[in-house]
């Protein structure tokens, strides 16, 4: 099942409202623009949110996007900080696998250049680490669903509650005593749950900076689930 591109959907709606066309190849995974793009303006680049990689897994996918009404000449991903060990497999594509990662924090910059030589840049952060041998956990009980696009649960101030580092997210539904692990958001995921942490100050006009959102792609939302964070 190929899921609707959440952030791309936001961009299309914004584009329709301002009469600015939206095509499949320009759909980003991040926030929509809020100003009319002009032919002579620089493109707006979207590198995506933070990504965490839990060793021994040593790869992830960078999924970029852009907003621009003109013609794009090229895309370039490059590492601007972090460990020296990595492989960018398709640095000139919007979506690329980055592999051979080691423990540490990487920053990858996406530069998008139009035919006039104007550029837009944005940065994605990849946090690579291991789960603690003595993990801690926080449980949030009886949370009500909200409905920004898909059914969702929001944990506010997540970036203040959980120290920077590696964590796992679990959900427990009222009709099932088992804790089910929730995976990070991916536009190509076929899982019924996934999550992301909002790192954009404006939250795309719909989300709250610093909040953790768990998305559910089913319809049975009459319960009040619990969420467990292990870190």
């Amino acid at each position: 099942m190929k899921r609707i591109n959440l952030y791309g959907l936001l961009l299309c709606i914004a584009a329709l409202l301002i009469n600015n066309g939206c095509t499949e190849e320009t759909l980003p995974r991040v926030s929509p623009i809020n100003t009319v793009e002009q032919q002579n303006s620089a493109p707006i680049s979207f590198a995506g949110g933070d990504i965490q990689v839990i060793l021994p897994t040593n790869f992830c996918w960078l999924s970029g996007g852009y907003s621009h009404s003109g013609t794009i000449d090229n895309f370039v991903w490059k590492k601007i900080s972090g460990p020296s060990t990595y492989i960018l497999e398709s640095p000139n594509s919007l979506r690329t696998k980055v592999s051979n990662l080691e423990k540490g924090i990487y920053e990858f910059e996406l530069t998008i250049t139009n035919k006039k030589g104007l550029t837009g840049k944005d940065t994605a952060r990849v946090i690579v680490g291991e789960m603690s041998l003595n993990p801690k956990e926080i449980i949030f009980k009886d949370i009500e669903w909200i409905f920004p696009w898909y059914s969702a649960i929001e944990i506010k101030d997540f970036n203040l509650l959980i120290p920077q580092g590696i964590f796992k997210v679990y959900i427990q539904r009222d009709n099932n005593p088992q804790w089910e692990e929730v995976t990070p958001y991916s536009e190509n995921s076929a899982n019924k749950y996934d999550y992301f942490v909002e790192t954009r100050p404006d939250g795309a006009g719909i989300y709250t900076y610093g909040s953790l959102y768990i998305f559910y792609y089913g319809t049975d939302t009459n319960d009040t689930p619990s969420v467990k964070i292990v870190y």
Side-chain angles (χ1 to χ4, degrees):
M1 176 180 69
K2 185 171 182 180
R3 185 160 299 155
I4 296 173
N5 186 316
L6 179 61
Y7 297 130
L9 177 61
L10 290 175
L11 179 64
C12 279
I13 292 174
L16 289 172
L17 290 175
I18 61 177
N19 295 318
N20 185 35
C22 182
T23 63
E24 182 178 359
E25 68 175 359
T26 64
L27 295 180
R29 295 185 62 245
V30 286
S31 62
I33 59 172
N34 55 18
T35 58
V36 176
E37 291 291 309
Q38 300 297 326
Q39 288 285 343
N40 61 351
S41 65
I44 298 176
S45 173
F46 304 104
D50 290 354
I51 302 170
Q52 70 165 4
V53 177
I54 302 176
L55 297 170
T57 300
N58 67 348
F59 68 90
C60 67
W61 289 87
L62 300 174
S63 295
Y66 65 91
S67 175
H68 190 54
S69 58
T71 302
I72 297 299
D73 191 46
N74 62 64
F75 316 108
V76 178
W77 286 98
K78 71 174 182 178
K79 192 201 76 171
I80 58 174
S81 68
S84 59
T85 303
Y86 72 99
I87 298 173
L88 267 172
E89 299 190 4
S90 302
N92 299 114
S93 299
L94 277 177
R95 178 171 165 83
T96 178
K97 184 178 181 179
V98 54
S99 58
N100 204 30
L101 298 170
E102 63 181 35
K103 188 174 182 179
I105 299 177
Y106 296 80
E107 287 187 317
F108 293 96
E109 182 180 74
L110 173 62
T111 300
I112 296 179
T113 306
N114 68 9
K115 286 292 186 182
K116 295 185 178 181
L118 301 175
T119 62
K121 297 183 179 183
D122 193 29
T123 302
R125 188 171 65 159
V126 179
I127 303 167
V128 184
E130 300 170 314
M131 289 296 297
S132 171
L133 295 177
N134 299 295
K136 301 177 182 178
E137 65 179 42
I138 300 177
I139 296 178
F140 304 87
K141 294 186 176 181
D142 302 325
I143 305 173
E144 295 185 357
W145 294 100
I146 60 175
F147 304 93
W149 288 107
Y150 301 106
S151 302
I153 288 173
E154 180 184 11
I155 305 294
K156 295 183 177 181
D157 297 321
F158 181 81
N159 58 338
L160 300 178
L161 293 170
I162 305 299
Q164 179 176 304
I166 298 300
F167 60 88
K168 290 187 176 183
V169 179
Y170 298 85
I171 189 170
Q172 183 188 62
R173 303 296 297 269
D174 288 357
N175 60 357
N176 185 353
Q178 302 298 317
W179 288 100
E180 185 172 355
E181 185 172 355
V182 182
T183 58
Y185 174 80
S186 172
E187 64 190 51
N188 294 315
S189 170
N191 296 328
K192 62 180 179 179
Y193 302 102
D194 52 33
Y195 76 84
F196 85 100
V197 178
E198 181 55 83
T199 60
R200 296 163 293 174
D202 66 351
I206 191 170
Y207 302 112
T208 302
Y209 173 75
S211 286
L212 168 76
Y213 292 91
I214 297 174
F215 291 100
Y216 173 52
Y217 303 100
T219 58
D220 51 325
T221 54
N222 294 320
D223 62 341
T224 52
S226 296
V227 171
K228 178 170 65 175
I229 310 298
V230 178
Y231 64 97

